[in-house]
């Protein structure tokens, strides 16, 4: 995929980061399938990612990289300003839209369920709670399929 010059520029959000709707376990479970769940308000990564990156950085240390599904989000770019940091952003069509992968400076990988922005609060809360449960054995797409089938 060839990026245009505009896509190669570092994106700087025009507004302060919003408080992310994220659910993380009290302590990171090394054997957990997922590290939590995130419910963005839109599919605009420039508006949504900075708040999430700052929240994850405060909890796990500096986030250096975020990987997302290339088809689900409104725009693609390579770098994003989040607070005082610049985060690299990768886009892959092979990554499920229900998953976000973040990598810390220490090389730790964080896998988060991405709840579609248009979901109801009840669905989103159930999905995020399941994703943040250290005993959960379901992957992100299966969690969404289950909670959406229940409604």
């Amino acid at each position: 995929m060839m990026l245009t010059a505009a896509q190669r520029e570092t994106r700087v959000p025009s507004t302060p980061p919003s408080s992310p709707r994220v659910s993380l376990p009290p302590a990171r479970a090394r054997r957990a399938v997922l590290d939590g769940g995130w419910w963005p308000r839109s599919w605009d990564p420039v508006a949504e990612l900075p708040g999430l990156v700052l929240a994850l950085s405060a909890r796990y240390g500096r986030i250096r990289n975020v990987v997302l599904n290339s088809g689900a989000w409104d725009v693609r770019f390579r770098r994003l300003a989040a607070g005082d940091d610049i985060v690299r952003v990768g886009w892959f069509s092979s990554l499920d839209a229900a998953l976000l992968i973040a990598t810390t400076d220490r090389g730790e990988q964080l896998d988060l369920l991405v709840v579609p922005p248009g979901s109801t609060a009840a669905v989103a809360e159930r999905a995020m709670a399941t994703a943040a449960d250290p005993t959960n054995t379901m992957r992100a797409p299966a969690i969404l399929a289950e909670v959406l089938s229940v409604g």
Side-chain angles (χ1 to χ4, degrees), residues 68-80:
L68 299 161
N69 173 277
S70 59
W73 295 87
D74 294 342
V75 294
R76 288 183 293 286
F77 46 86
R78 287 288 183 214
R79 293 180 302 276
L80 176 71

Side-chain angles (χ1 to χ4, degrees), residues 14 52 92 101 136:
S14 59
L52 176 66
F92 295 92
I101 300 170
N136 169 53

Side-chain angles (χ1 to χ4, degrees), residues 62-114:
R62 183 180 178 272
I63 300 298
R64 69 172 184 209
N65 189 47
V66 173
V67 179
L68 299 161
N69 173 277
S70 59
W73 295 87
D74 294 342
V75 294
R76 288 183 293 286
F77 46 86
R78 287 288 183 214
R79 293 180 302 276
L80 176 71
D84 294 334
D85 284 329
I86 302 296
V87 177
R88 289 180 293 152
V89 183
W91 303 95
F92 295 92
S93 60
S94 59
L95 182 69
D96 195 285
L99 188 63
L100 172 146
I101 300 170
T103 308
T104 70
D105 261 351
R106 294 184 306 273
E108 293 176 303
Q109 180 175 311
L110 303 169
D111 295 343
L112 297 181
L113 164 76
V114 178

Side-chain angles (χ1 to χ4, degrees), residues 20 34-35 49 71 78 98 111 127 132 137 150:
L34 295 167
D35 297 296
L49 284 176
R78 287 288 183 214
D111 295 343
T137 58
V150 174

